[in-house]
């Protein structure tokens, strides 16, 4: 014996524990983006359903201007503002009167939670590709 009869076994146990921790961290890092992406897709589908249910797409579209601005333009306007989602949600419920001949009527039938869902979706479009900047 080399004077350390238990050192190699302790080192092996320590290495195994370290490997197990590293493996758990790597697994969590790998799973989190896909779980997050799935949640984002569900939230986007829910928001699009609400935008259709409340007939928002009559005056707006995600990437083109209609009677109202494109949602991607709304997202760009509010880019970098910490209060963007609450402000958009409030404007959805209260309506808006500014700029141009048209105004957005109030939508009190939209719950605060639904307005937040729609506002988060609108803000997500700031980073979504459009036909003009989509990779080819």
């Amino acid at each position: 014996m080399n004077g350390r009869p238990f050192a190699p076994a302790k080192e092996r146990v320590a290495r195994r524990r370290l490997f197990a921790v590293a493996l758990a961290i790597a697994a969590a890092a790998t799973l989190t983006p896909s779980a997050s992406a799935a949640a984002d897709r569900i939230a986007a589908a829910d928001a699009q359903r609400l935008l259709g249910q409340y007939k928002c797409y009559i005056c707006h579209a995600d990437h083109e201007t209609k009677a109202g601005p494109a949602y991607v333009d709304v997202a760009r306007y509010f880019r970098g503002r910490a209060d963007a989602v609450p402000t958009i949600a409030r404007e959805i419920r209260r309506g808006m009167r500014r700029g141009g001949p048209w105004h957005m009527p109030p939508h009190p039938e939209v719950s605060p939670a639904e307005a937040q869902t729609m506002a988060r979706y609108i803000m997500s479009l700031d980073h979504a590709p459009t036909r003009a900047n989509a990779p080819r």
Side-chain angles (χ1 to χ4, degrees), residues 26-43:
T30 303
L31 293 177
T32 302
S34 63
S36 176
D40 289 345
R41 283 191 300 274
I42 291 169

Side-chain angles (χ1 to χ4, degrees), residues 12-96:
R12 281 195 303 270
V13 170
R15 280 191 214 126
R16 286 183 186 146
R17 285 185 183 154
L18 181 61
F19 179 74
V21 168
L23 186 61
I25 290 171
T30 303
L31 293 177
T32 302
S34 63
S36 176
D40 289 345
R41 283 191 300 274
I42 291 169
D46 191 34
Q48 288 172 323
R49 180 188 58 77
L50 290 169
L51 292 167
Q53 174 184 332
Y54 291 111
K55 313 230 181 322
C56 303
Y57 283 128
I58 290 174
C59 295
H60 300 276
D62 289 351
H63 297 285
E64 70 180 81
T65 300
K66 293 172 119 180
Y71 289 136
V72 72
D73 294 334
V74 173
R76 286 185 188 129
Y77 176 81
F78 284 100
R79 181 188 306 158
R81 288 183 49 180
D83 66 338
V85 170
T87 300
I88 295 169
R90 185 174 53 252
E91 290 179 350
I92 288 169
R93 298 195 73 231
R94 289 186 184 171
M96 293 177 51

